[in-house]
Amino acid sequence: MIKKVLAIGVLAALSVGCKTSKPVAEAPATEKKGDFKPYNKVITAEAISDKGLFITHKVDDKLYFEIPDSLFNKDMLWVSRIAKVPSGYGGGYVNAGSKVNEQVVRWSKRGKNVDIKVMSFENQSDEESPIYKSVKANNFEPILYSAKIETMKADSSAYVIDVTSLFEDEVAAINGMDASAKKRYKVRRLDKSRSYIEDVNSFPQNVEVRHVMTYEAEQPPERGQASTISMLMNQSMVLLPEDKMMSRIADYRVGWFTTGKYDYNSDALKSDDYRIINKWRLVPKDIEAYKNGELVEPVKPIVYYLDPATPERWRPYFKKGIEDWNKAFEKAGFKNAIIAKDPPSKEEDPDFSPEDVRYSVVRYVASTTRNAVGPSVVDPRTGEIIESDIIWYHNHLRSYRNRFMIEAGAQNPNARTLETPEEEIGEMMRMVIAHEVGHALGLPHNMKASAAYPTDSLRSAEFTQKYGLTPSIMDYARVNYVAQPEDKGVRYIRMMGPYDLYAINWGYRYLPEAKTSEDEKESLDKWILEKAGDPVYEFGGGYGGVDPQAQRESLGKDQVKASEYGLANMKKVVPNLIKWTTKDGYGYDELEEVYRELIGLWRGYLYHVVTNVGGVYETRKTSDQEGAVYTPVPDDIQEGAVKFLNENAFTTPDWLLNKDILDRIESNGAIERIQSLQSRVLNYLLNEDRLLRMIENQQLHDNDYAVIELLEDLRKGIFAELYNGKKVDAYRRNLQRSYVAIAIDYINKLEEDDDVATTDIIALMRGELETLQSQLNRMQYSTSDRLSRYHYKDLIARIEKAFTAK
């Protein structure tokens, strides 16, 4: 999962290199008119040295870089990551391997000093054009670090500098803790006595430094951390290729991770801002055969090695997940474009290390984190992916096991156990790896893909076995929760689909005749237009919460129907959870874990429905395509969504409040938990942006289902007991108070000079509260339950207080 996201970086921090460090023999040095110390006085016989991009030397507690003269002013990508993080840091959302910064640097010699300059390639101009001087003058490179030259080689071919303070002091550009974290944990200072360089490895194309940073903090993430926050940082410096790959210009109609550019040589009346896609450099070995439509191997295939720590049991599934992408690359004209390999033995490659940028590795991390990520190292000058490390955290399968039980347990007997059969769990692992490799190839999430398939098609064995759950493996569609118990032979686990083949062809097909990026655009546009209007080939990132057809975890075109199916299955699962999750002689930890995750998935089903209300469909188009980009969700779908919410979100979920389960996992908390969930759904439904979209859509598109209809439907649903005279239970009382509180909060914004004060929302909420107050006054005695009457009186008092205060 993973963690949108643009994923750039070297995750070399999670595995220690296996190289043997030995002192580097050096010819006697001569002083240069006393400017520098003799070489052997700086790099002594006790030095632990490592040859690679730079020769690195550890002398006592100092670290020296010996920089060849040939590498000055060369572009290098510097990636800073947190290799190890204290428990609870960042609220648990910052994991080992999290990138904190990446930048292109150049080492440059300035007199007796060496500087590290931070370069930018965002702003561009032809060096021969008059504006080039202005672009350079207005993008002056900052100096990240400077050190004096300590000594030099006898032949003046390399200079030695002390870089200890670069890693032991607090240098903001490579620091693991930003200003907000320091404020959150009340950090006083970096303690240099407890900050040190732990390890350094130099490889032919990169240098890796691991260093510990320790901060004094008044409020560390957890109490047991003794007013201290320590983290292990990994700094990766990667030499970028001088032979630059030709970039491919991005198009927002096809999903790709991209790098932004500004071209000041544009003929337009402004700089031309555009984006290029991030992709590996794949060139056919036989150009003529490729032109003739034959499948051709690339000059340099994409190779992933498995981490030596990967359990033997799971290696076949990892390899299949990687090489599944060959099907997509064949669509782009390549065969054997991506290869999965076991880690080489010491005899096969004694210098193999996952930290070496020459190797892309699927890392298997012993961590309780439930996640997998697929970042990559990208050359920001061209968008070329240089290297990638897929991270698989050990406990990630636990999430899939639980989800399989919750969402498929009613339909699939193999899901009714904590020991999920290897066939199913291996297939899940394979598809997770395939998903993460998709990211590493340049593809972002495509949350719109799932809406291409009719919801009821996911109940068909023939359809799902052929087409999967969604047209793209890059969608979040983990388990088929739509299928019902009577549907036999259905596929339950996602797989690669037609969109993935289309996107890889669009991004990776080699165009031999094209000499520039602009030369490719006609062909790229043609491929998109050939698929225009077919929802299978549409892209939507799923961010913003506006388009109900581009949502995380949703399945099928009809989100209301899909959630109905999902809830029907959940109601069958809950009564069986004790039997499926417990074992003689053990407690109820597993039951509690699965039950709480089930509640989270139920909330997700509700959110999928809410997004339809005030929702807007987005179909990405360019100006040469007919039709609108944005279209409001039809009235009947919005009205049906609110009906679903009244019946399933705002009624008391008796099916979920299973006494047998609750008596085993908690002494109390059910009421508060349901209140929190229902209130969050209600707040999401009555979100200001949603209401404003509904107001605008009514005005511009003559939508009949407007805010006033929404509020009336909610009042009749949430306060149904007021009209039928029934008792109001504790859950419903909390919900009704939440509704009144939300409306009052909007009215209060009138006095806060809030932007909402200039909209219709306050008038609508005031009118709704007046209607509710009138009905409460008139019908409060329609129930014989005394607590319900007290509750109604309390609501009346709250509304009166709100009006009186204004």
PDB file of all heavy atoms in Angstrom, residues 60-84:
ATOM      1  N   ASP A  60      39.896   6.934  12.971  1.00  0.00           N
ATOM      2  CA  ASP A  60      39.367   7.134  14.318  1.00  0.00           C
ATOM      3  C   ASP A  60      37.877   7.479  14.210  1.00  0.00           C
ATOM      4  O   ASP A  60      37.110   6.725  13.641  1.00  0.00           O
ATOM      5  CB  ASP A  60      40.173   8.209  15.061  1.00  0.00           C
ATOM      6  CG  ASP A  60      41.625   7.783  15.267  1.00  0.00           C
ATOM      7  OD1 ASP A  60      41.853   6.566  15.457  1.00  0.00           O
ATOM      8  OD2 ASP A  60      42.508   8.647  15.216  1.00  0.00           O
ATOM      9  N   ASP A  61      37.475   8.661  14.668  1.00  0.00           N
ATOM     10  CA  ASP A  61      36.061   9.034  14.609  1.00  0.00           C
ATOM     11  C   ASP A  61      35.780  10.036  13.499  1.00  0.00           C
ATOM     12  O   ASP A  61      34.742  10.688  13.486  1.00  0.00           O
ATOM     13  CB  ASP A  61      35.604   9.606  15.955  1.00  0.00           C
ATOM     14  CG  ASP A  61      36.418  10.818  16.384  1.00  0.00           C
ATOM     15  OD1 ASP A  61      37.435  11.114  15.718  1.00  0.00           O
ATOM     16  OD2 ASP A  61      36.046  11.469  17.383  1.00  0.00           O
ATOM     17  N   LYS A  62      36.684  10.152  12.555  1.00  0.00           N
ATOM     18  CA  LYS A  62      36.505  11.087  11.448  1.00  0.00           C
ATOM     19  C   LYS A  62      36.231  10.328  10.142  1.00  0.00           C
ATOM     20  O   LYS A  62      36.704   9.209   9.944  1.00  0.00           O
ATOM     21  CB  LYS A  62      37.739  11.982  11.273  1.00  0.00           C
ATOM     22  CG  LYS A  62      37.918  13.006  12.385  1.00  0.00           C
ATOM     23  CD  LYS A  62      39.094  13.912  12.094  1.00  0.00           C
ATOM     24  CE  LYS A  62      39.249  14.982  13.158  1.00  0.00           C
ATOM     25  NZ  LYS A  62      38.110  15.938  13.144  1.00  0.00           N
ATOM     26  N   LEU A  63      35.459  10.969   9.261  1.00  0.00           N
ATOM     27  CA  LEU A  63      35.167  10.413   7.946  1.00  0.00           C
ATOM     28  C   LEU A  63      35.695  11.374   6.891  1.00  0.00           C
ATOM     29  O   LEU A  63      35.398  12.582   6.916  1.00  0.00           O
ATOM     30  CB  LEU A  63      33.662  10.225   7.756  1.00  0.00           C
ATOM     31  CG  LEU A  63      33.205   9.764   6.368  1.00  0.00           C
ATOM     32  CD1 LEU A  63      33.793   8.391   6.019  1.00  0.00           C
ATOM     33  CD2 LEU A  63      31.681   9.722   6.267  1.00  0.00           C
ATOM     34  N   TYR A  64      36.484  10.822   5.957  1.00  0.00           N
ATOM     35  CA  TYR A  64      37.048  11.617   4.867  1.00  0.00           C
ATOM     36  C   TYR A  64      36.526  11.090   3.534  1.00  0.00           C
ATOM     37  O   TYR A  64      36.374   9.875   3.343  1.00  0.00           O
ATOM     38  CB  TYR A  64      38.577  11.534   4.868  1.00  0.00           C
ATOM     39  CG  TYR A  64      39.239  12.154   6.079  1.00  0.00           C
ATOM     40  CD1 TYR A  64      39.543  11.372   7.188  1.00  0.00           C
ATOM     41  CD2 TYR A  64      39.576  13.504   6.106  1.00  0.00           C
ATOM     42  CE1 TYR A  64      40.150  11.912   8.309  1.00  0.00           C
ATOM     43  CE2 TYR A  64      40.190  14.062   7.217  1.00  0.00           C
ATOM     44  CZ  TYR A  64      40.472  13.270   8.319  1.00  0.00           C
ATOM     45  OH  TYR A  64      41.078  13.821   9.429  1.00  0.00           O
ATOM     46  N   PHE A  65      36.256  12.009   2.621  1.00  0.00           N
ATOM     47  CA  PHE A  65      35.965  11.657   1.231  1.00  0.00           C
ATOM     48  C   PHE A  65      37.171  12.052   0.393  1.00  0.00           C
ATOM     49  O   PHE A  65      37.668  13.191   0.481  1.00  0.00           O
ATOM     50  CB  PHE A  65      34.737  12.410   0.715  1.00  0.00           C
ATOM     51  CG  PHE A  65      33.421  11.830   1.119  1.00  0.00           C
ATOM     52  CD1 PHE A  65      32.233  12.484   0.761  1.00  0.00           C
ATOM     53  CD2 PHE A  65      33.327  10.662   1.859  1.00  0.00           C
ATOM     54  CE1 PHE A  65      30.999  11.962   1.123  1.00  0.00           C
ATOM     55  CE2 PHE A  65      32.102  10.140   2.225  1.00  0.00           C
ATOM     56  CZ  PHE A  65      30.934  10.792   1.865  1.00  0.00           C
ATOM     57  N   GLU A  66      37.636  11.110  -0.424  1.00  0.00           N
ATOM     58  CA  GLU A  66      38.687  11.397  -1.391  1.00  0.00           C
ATOM     59  C   GLU A  66      38.024  11.512  -2.756  1.00  0.00           C
ATOM     60  O   GLU A  66      37.612  10.512  -3.349  1.00  0.00           O
ATOM     61  CB  GLU A  66      39.739  10.282  -1.376  1.00  0.00           C
ATOM     62  CG  GLU A  66      40.918  10.567  -2.289  1.00  0.00           C
ATOM     63  CD  GLU A  66      42.025   9.532  -2.138  1.00  0.00           C
ATOM     64  OE1 GLU A  66      42.316   9.137  -0.985  1.00  0.00           O
ATOM     65  OE2 GLU A  66      42.574   9.104  -3.180  1.00  0.00           O
ATOM     66  N   ILE A  67      37.914  12.745  -3.245  1.00  0.00           N
ATOM     67  CA  ILE A  67      37.109  13.027  -4.429  1.00  0.00           C
ATOM     68  C   ILE A  67      38.013  13.171  -5.652  1.00  0.00           C
ATOM     69  O   ILE A  67      38.854  14.075  -5.708  1.00  0.00           O
ATOM     70  CB  ILE A  67      36.286  14.316  -4.236  1.00  0.00           C
ATOM     71  CG1 ILE A  67      35.462  14.227  -2.943  1.00  0.00           C
ATOM     72  CG2 ILE A  67      35.392  14.576  -5.440  1.00  0.00           C
ATOM     73  CD1 ILE A  67      34.749  15.511  -2.591  1.00  0.00           C
ATOM     74  N   PRO A  68      37.862  12.294  -6.643  1.00  0.00           N
ATOM     75  CA  PRO A  68      38.661  12.427  -7.863  1.00  0.00           C
ATOM     76  C   PRO A  68      38.362  13.740  -8.575  1.00  0.00           C
ATOM     77  O   PRO A  68      37.214  14.202  -8.599  1.00  0.00           O
ATOM     78  CB  PRO A  68      38.218  11.227  -8.711  1.00  0.00           C
ATOM     79  CG  PRO A  68      37.579  10.280  -7.745  1.00  0.00           C
ATOM     80  CD  PRO A  68      36.966  11.136  -6.674  1.00  0.00           C
ATOM     81  N   ASP A  69      39.377  14.314  -9.136  1.00  0.00           N
ATOM     82  CA  ASP A  69      39.207  15.573  -9.861  1.00  0.00           C
ATOM     83  C   ASP A  69      38.188  15.417 -10.990  1.00  0.00           C
ATOM     84  O   ASP A  69      37.466  16.354 -11.330  1.00  0.00           O
ATOM     85  CB  ASP A  69      40.557  16.015 -10.420  1.00  0.00           C
ATOM     86  CG  ASP A  69      40.528  17.445 -10.912  1.00  0.00           C
ATOM     87  OD1 ASP A  69      40.255  18.344 -10.084  1.00  0.00           O
ATOM     88  OD2 ASP A  69      40.755  17.663 -12.119  1.00  0.00           O
ATOM     89  N   SER A  70      38.093  14.201 -11.551  1.00  0.00           N
ATOM     90  CA  SER A  70      37.183  13.950 -12.672  1.00  0.00           C
ATOM     91  C   SER A  70      35.714  14.001 -12.261  1.00  0.00           C
ATOM     92  O   SER A  70      34.836  14.084 -13.123  1.00  0.00           O
ATOM     93  CB  SER A  70      37.483  12.579 -13.284  1.00  0.00           C
ATOM     94  OG  SER A  70      37.309  11.556 -12.305  1.00  0.00           O
ATOM     95  N   LEU A  71      35.432  13.937 -10.954  1.00  0.00           N
ATOM     96  CA  LEU A  71      34.042  13.936 -10.498  1.00  0.00           C
ATOM     97  C   LEU A  71      33.558  15.298 -10.016  1.00  0.00           C
ATOM     98  O   LEU A  71      32.400  15.441  -9.636  1.00  0.00           O
ATOM     99  CB  LEU A  71      33.842  12.896  -9.385  1.00  0.00           C
ATOM    100  CG  LEU A  71      33.880  11.442  -9.842  1.00  0.00           C
ATOM    101  CD1 LEU A  71      33.683  10.498  -8.669  1.00  0.00           C
ATOM    102  CD2 LEU A  71      32.828  11.169 -10.913  1.00  0.00           C
ATOM    103  N   PHE A  72      34.418  16.283 -10.025  1.00  0.00           N
ATOM    104  CA  PHE A  72      33.954  17.624  -9.688  1.00  0.00           C
ATOM    105  C   PHE A  72      33.009  18.121 -10.785  1.00  0.00           C
ATOM    106  O   PHE A  72      33.209  17.882 -11.977  1.00  0.00           O
ATOM    107  CB  PHE A  72      35.123  18.588  -9.516  1.00  0.00           C
ATOM    108  CG  PHE A  72      35.849  18.427  -8.212  1.00  0.00           C
ATOM    109  CD1 PHE A  72      37.183  18.059  -8.175  1.00  0.00           C
ATOM    110  CD2 PHE A  72      35.176  18.625  -7.008  1.00  0.00           C
ATOM    111  CE1 PHE A  72      37.853  17.901  -6.972  1.00  0.00           C
ATOM    112  CE2 PHE A  72      35.838  18.470  -5.801  1.00  0.00           C
ATOM    113  CZ  PHE A  72      37.167  18.095  -5.776  1.00  0.00           C
ATOM    114  N   ASN A  73      31.950  18.795 -10.346  1.00  0.00           N
ATOM    115  CA  ASN A  73      30.941  19.387 -11.239  1.00  0.00           C
ATOM    116  C   ASN A  73      30.141  18.356 -12.024  1.00  0.00           C
ATOM    117  O   ASN A  73      29.563  18.669 -13.067  1.00  0.00           O
ATOM    118  CB  ASN A  73      31.592  20.391 -12.205  1.00  0.00           C
ATOM    119  CG  ASN A  73      32.241  21.538 -11.457  1.00  0.00           C
ATOM    120  OD1 ASN A  73      31.623  22.133 -10.573  1.00  0.00           O
ATOM    121  ND2 ASN A  73      33.496  21.830 -11.786  1.00  0.00           N
ATOM    122  N   LYS A  74      30.086  17.111 -11.514  1.00  0.00           N
ATOM    123  CA  LYS A  74      29.221  16.085 -12.084  1.00  0.00           C
ATOM    124  C   LYS A  74      27.918  16.040 -11.297  1.00  0.00           C
ATOM    125  O   LYS A  74      27.895  16.229 -10.077  1.00  0.00           O
ATOM    126  CB  LYS A  74      29.897  14.709 -12.034  1.00  0.00           C
ATOM    127  CG  LYS A  74      31.214  14.623 -12.800  1.00  0.00           C
ATOM    128  CD  LYS A  74      31.020  14.801 -14.292  1.00  0.00           C
ATOM    129  CE  LYS A  74      32.337  14.599 -15.032  1.00  0.00           C
ATOM    130  NZ  LYS A  74      32.193  14.824 -16.493  1.00  0.00           N
ATOM    131  N   ASP A  75      26.827  15.760 -12.011  1.00  0.00           N
ATOM    132  CA  ASP A  75      25.516  15.705 -11.357  1.00  0.00           C
ATOM    133  C   ASP A  75      25.373  14.417 -10.552  1.00  0.00           C
ATOM    134  O   ASP A  75      25.589  13.315 -11.066  1.00  0.00           O
ATOM    135  CB  ASP A  75      24.403  15.776 -12.401  1.00  0.00           C
ATOM    136  CG  ASP A  75      24.335  17.119 -13.095  1.00  0.00           C
ATOM    137  OD1 ASP A  75      24.795  18.107 -12.500  1.00  0.00           O
ATOM    138  OD2 ASP A  75      23.822  17.173 -14.230  1.00  0.00           O
ATOM    139  N   MET A  76      24.983  14.593  -9.291  1.00  0.00           N
ATOM    140  CA  MET A  76      24.745  13.458  -8.410  1.00  0.00           C
ATOM    141  C   MET A  76      23.428  13.655  -7.678  1.00  0.00           C
ATOM    142  O   MET A  76      23.119  14.767  -7.242  1.00  0.00           O
ATOM    143  CB  MET A  76      25.891  13.308  -7.397  1.00  0.00           C
ATOM    144  CG  MET A  76      27.243  13.095  -8.045  1.00  0.00           C
ATOM    145  SD  MET A  76      28.564  12.869  -6.841  1.00  0.00           S
ATOM    146  CE  MET A  76      30.002  12.821  -7.931  1.00  0.00           C
ATOM    147  N   LEU A  77      22.665  12.584  -7.551  1.00  0.00           N
ATOM    148  CA  LEU A  77      21.389  12.638  -6.843  1.00  0.00           C
ATOM    149  C   LEU A  77      21.622  12.240  -5.391  1.00  0.00           C
ATOM    150  O   LEU A  77      22.133  11.159  -5.109  1.00  0.00           O
ATOM    151  CB  LEU A  77      20.369  11.698  -7.493  1.00  0.00           C
ATOM    152  CG  LEU A  77      18.950  11.749  -6.911  1.00  0.00           C
ATOM    153  CD1 LEU A  77      18.314  13.107  -7.150  1.00  0.00           C
ATOM    154  CD2 LEU A  77      18.094  10.646  -7.511  1.00  0.00           C
ATOM    155  N   TRP A  78      21.237  13.121  -4.475  1.00  0.00           N
ATOM    156  CA  TRP A  78      21.409  12.876  -3.045  1.00  0.00           C
ATOM    157  C   TRP A  78      20.030  12.600  -2.443  1.00  0.00           C
ATOM    158  O   TRP A  78      19.142  13.446  -2.498  1.00  0.00           O
ATOM    159  CB  TRP A  78      22.039  14.093  -2.375  1.00  0.00           C
ATOM    160  CG  TRP A  78      22.492  13.858  -0.960  1.00  0.00           C
ATOM    161  CD1 TRP A  78      21.747  13.386   0.070  1.00  0.00           C
ATOM    162  CD2 TRP A  78      23.804  14.087  -0.439  1.00  0.00           C
ATOM    163  NE1 TRP A  78      22.492  13.303   1.215  1.00  0.00           N
ATOM    164  CE2 TRP A  78      23.779  13.724   0.923  1.00  0.00           C
ATOM    165  CE3 TRP A  78      24.999  14.568  -0.987  1.00  0.00           C
ATOM    166  CZ2 TRP A  78      24.887  13.843   1.755  1.00  0.00           C
ATOM    167  CZ3 TRP A  78      26.105  14.681  -0.167  1.00  0.00           C
ATOM    168  CH2 TRP A  78      26.053  14.326   1.185  1.00  0.00           C
ATOM    169  N   VAL A  79      19.864  11.415  -1.878  1.00  0.00           N
ATOM    170  CA  VAL A  79      18.586  11.009  -1.307  1.00  0.00           C
ATOM    171  C   VAL A  79      18.764  10.762   0.183  1.00  0.00           C
ATOM    172  O   VAL A  79      19.647   9.995   0.589  1.00  0.00           O
ATOM    173  CB  VAL A  79      18.039   9.732  -1.985  1.00  0.00           C
ATOM    174  CG1 VAL A  79      16.669   9.383  -1.432  1.00  0.00           C
ATOM    175  CG2 VAL A  79      17.976   9.925  -3.489  1.00  0.00           C
ATOM    176  N   SER A  80      17.932  11.406   0.990  1.00  0.00           N
ATOM    177  CA  SER A  80      17.998  11.264   2.447  1.00  0.00           C
ATOM    178  C   SER A  80      16.778  10.491   2.925  1.00  0.00           C
ATOM    179  O   SER A  80      15.636  10.872   2.631  1.00  0.00           O
ATOM    180  CB  SER A  80      18.018  12.638   3.121  1.00  0.00           C
ATOM    181  OG  SER A  80      19.109  13.409   2.656  1.00  0.00           O
ATOM    182  N   ARG A  81      17.028   9.412   3.687  1.00  0.00           N
ATOM    183  CA  ARG A  81      15.955   8.573   4.195  1.00  0.00           C
ATOM    184  C   ARG A  81      16.186   8.247   5.662  1.00  0.00           C
ATOM    185  O   ARG A  81      17.316   8.237   6.135  1.00  0.00           O
ATOM    186  CB  ARG A  81      15.835   7.264   3.396  1.00  0.00           C
ATOM    187  CG  ARG A  81      15.305   7.483   2.007  1.00  0.00           C
ATOM    188  CD  ARG A  81      14.957   6.167   1.321  1.00  0.00           C
ATOM    189  NE  ARG A  81      14.335   6.419   0.035  1.00  0.00           N
ATOM    190  CZ  ARG A  81      13.040   6.639  -0.138  1.00  0.00           C
ATOM    191  NH1 ARG A  81      12.225   6.606   0.898  1.00  0.00           N
ATOM    192  NH2 ARG A  81      12.545   6.879  -1.328  1.00  0.00           N
ATOM    193  N   ILE A  82      15.065   7.988   6.356  1.00  0.00           N
ATOM    194  CA  ILE A  82      15.138   7.513   7.730  1.00  0.00           C
ATOM    195  C   ILE A  82      15.236   5.992   7.681  1.00  0.00           C
ATOM    196  O   ILE A  82      14.295   5.319   7.271  1.00  0.00           O
ATOM    197  CB  ILE A  82      13.910   7.948   8.546  1.00  0.00           C
ATOM    198  CG1 ILE A  82      13.775   9.479   8.534  1.00  0.00           C
ATOM    199  CG2 ILE A  82      14.011   7.437   9.979  1.00  0.00           C
ATOM    200  CD1 ILE A  82      12.521   9.982   9.227  1.00  0.00           C
ATOM    201  N   ALA A  83      16.384   5.461   8.098  1.00  0.00           N
ATOM    202  CA  ALA A  83      16.599   4.021   8.030  1.00  0.00           C
ATOM    203  C   ALA A  83      15.967   3.302   9.212  1.00  0.00           C
ATOM    204  O   ALA A  83      15.437   2.204   9.073  1.00  0.00           O
ATOM    205  CB  ALA A  83      18.090   3.714   7.978  1.00  0.00           C
ATOM    206  N   LYS A  84      16.041   3.911  10.396  1.00  0.00           N
ATOM    207  CA  LYS A  84      15.405   3.360  11.584  1.00  0.00           C
ATOM    208  C   LYS A  84      14.768   4.516  12.344  1.00  0.00           C
ATOM    209  O   LYS A  84      15.352   5.588  12.453  1.00  0.00           O
ATOM    210  CB  LYS A  84      16.410   2.616  12.479  1.00  0.00           C
ATOM    211  CG  LYS A  84      16.981   1.359  11.846  1.00  0.00           C
ATOM    212  CD  LYS A  84      17.934   0.627  12.800  1.00  0.00           C
ATOM    213  CE  LYS A  84      18.513  -0.623  12.144  1.00  0.00           C
ATOM    214  NZ  LYS A  84      19.469  -1.331  13.046  1.00  0.00           N
TER     215      LYS A  84
END
